[in-house]
Amino acid sequence: MGRRHSHALSLTRRALLAAAASLAAFPARAQPASTLFISHPATLAHDPGPGWPDSPARLRALFAALDAPRFAGLARLDAPPASRAALLRVHAPEHLARLEASAPRDGQAQLGADVVMNAGTYEAALRAAGGAVAAVDAVMRKAARNAFVASRPPGHHARAEAPMGFCFLNNAAIAARHAMGAHGAARVAIVDFDVHHGNGVQEIFWNEKNVLYCSTHQAPHYPGTGAVGETGAHDNVVNAPLRKGDGGEAFRAALTSRILPRLDAFAPDLVILCAGFDAHLHDPLGGLRFIEEDFRDVTLRVMEIAARRCDGRVVSLLEGGYVPEDLAASAAAHVGALMEG
């Protein structure tokens, strides 16, 4: 076993022990008492280099926004790294081995046209996935009503065997499989409102009738998937593509006509949100025209169904959003809505 691998394992053991101690501060309750915010300083160490859209500045702005007095009631937890068992529920062993082996000691390593690692990326990715797992644990144990994970790098493009689109590990898929494998959830729904279609999530769950994947996204746009006719092997995929220039009115029409009725009828045991804020009107990586109130609105609509179907259990995972100030304002609107639930 190499020195780097030994160090990674010891880091994981230490962090898992610390996370277990932190979770103990949130005992299971008959009535969940709070929204849980999960992140970690390691998210800032993932730095693909100058000019890269997924920069550490995104999370610095978000952290500052959630330090405002109105968010004093948030429960907070440092994200642990995900266990290998949690990762292997979704990802091929070869993919995990490649990620670990590719992490450079200095500078950047390019794994693909839109995937770049530096020395801090591997730990950041492990903690992004581990934060998703910890959020599921807290919500399923009723230690929190709902949870928001400020994860970076994002995850919804990552495939089972390969990174893609700024994403290394598929945080939403890992969370869903953990809910089913560790907590006995019979049905999990994933609702994705990132400007880009979550091709990785759709692909991973294409053949799973007990996972519903619903997505609004701009089309045609990267990564080129997400057509209405892509419905999954069990009619378990619901795509509601939007056109460049669409704003909140078109977004709400897609939600009310296609996404929310299917979510309600599915009656999930847990709802996971792929909370991308790059549909904001100022975002350079998309062409939709959402404002902060649109992100608040979708959150409240999903929470209303979750309250009726699964005792309010919602886990939200940060995906895109590449103008730091707009990401911070949009995430603040989203988290504020979660806290109202």
Side-chain angles (χ1 to χ4, degrees):
M1 182 180 293
R3 179 179 301 174
R4 180 186 300 176
H5 189 58
S6 298
H7 174 72
L9 286 176
S10 63
L11 169 67
T12 300
R13 292 191 186 102
R14 291 197 305 271
L16 284 173
L17 288 172
S22 297
L23 274 175
F26 300 100
R29 308 171 187 226
Q31 293 296 323
S34 62
T35 293
L36 176 61
F37 173 65
I38 301 177
S39 193
H40 195 277
T43 61
L44 302 175
H46 167 51
D47 189 355
W52 197 258
D54 181 21
S55 74
R58 300 175 61 227
L59 268 290
R60 291 192 188 99
L62 189 153
F63 291 160
L66 296 187
D67 277 342
R70 62 181 283 215
F71 298 108
L74 279 175
R76 297 175 187 255
L77 176 68
D78 278 352
S83 70
R84 183 170 177 80
L87 299 178
L88 287 173
R89 287 192 177 106
V90 171
H91 291 289
E94 296 80 8
H95 171 58
L96 302 179
R98 182 188 177 207
L99 288 184
E100 184 173 2
S102 298
R105 294 185 181 276
D106 300 295
Q108 282 82 31
Q110 190 114 16
L111 275 65
D114 51 14
V115 186
V116 179
M117 298 184 79
N118 75 320
T121 300
Y122 186 62
E123 183 185 351
L126 286 179
R127 290 187 184 274
V133 169
V136 169
D137 286 339
V139 169
M140 296 301 289
R141 293 171 183 164
K142 296 188 176 183
R145 288 192 305 262
N146 51 56
F148 175 68
V149 185
S151 43
R152 187 178 163 271
H156 71 158
H157 295 306
R159 304 173 65 204
E161 72 286 352
M164 181 178 174
F166 306 168
C167 304
F168 297 85
L169 299 170
N170 200 302
N171 305 320
I174 290 165
R177 288 260 173 89
H178 180 71
M180 301 173 87
H183 295 282
R187 294 176 305 282
V188 176
I190 301 171
V191 177
D192 188 338
F193 53 82
D194 193 275
V195 78
H196 305 99
H197 180 248
N199 62 294
V201 180
Q202 175 174 289
E203 180 180 288
I204 289 165
F205 293 118
W206 185 266
N207 293 305
E208 294 194 30
K209 64 181 179 180
N210 293 329
V211 177
L212 177 71
Y213 176 64
C214 303
S215 176
T216 62
H217 49 275
Q218 180 180 329
H221 199 38
Y222 180 93
T225 53
V228 170
E230 297 169 15
T231 58
H234 303 280
D235 196 28
N236 58 311
V237 171
V238 184
N239 286 310
L242 302 171
R243 295 172 296 180
K244 183 177 181 179
D246 280 348
E249 183 176 349
F251 181 40
R252 283 185 285 279
L255 290 170
T256 56
S257 66
R258 292 186 55 79
I259 303 294
L260 298 179
R262 288 293 304 276
L263 177 64
D264 197 11
F266 187 68
D269 297 314
L270 171 70
V271 179
I272 296 171
L273 296 176
C274 289
F277 301 105
D278 43 6
H280 193 281
L281 66 90
H282 297 144
D283 203 281
L285 268 62
L288 298 181
R289 300 186 60 80
F290 295 5
I291 60 174
E292 289 82 355
E293 184 59 31
D294 296 320
F295 298 115
R296 171 180 164 79
D297 181 67
V298 65
T299 308
L300 293 173
R301 289 171 184 262
V302 169
M303 288 173 64
E304 181 181 359
I305 294 173
R308 183 165 61 252
R309 293 301 193 183
C310 57
D311 200 23
R313 290 187 289 269
V314 175
V315 166
S316 177
L317 309 176
L318 178 65
E319 295 285 353
Y322 300 102
V323 176
E325 297 80 6
D326 294 327
L327 167 64
S330 300
H334 174 62
V335 173
L338 288 174
M339 293 175 71
E340 293 178 20

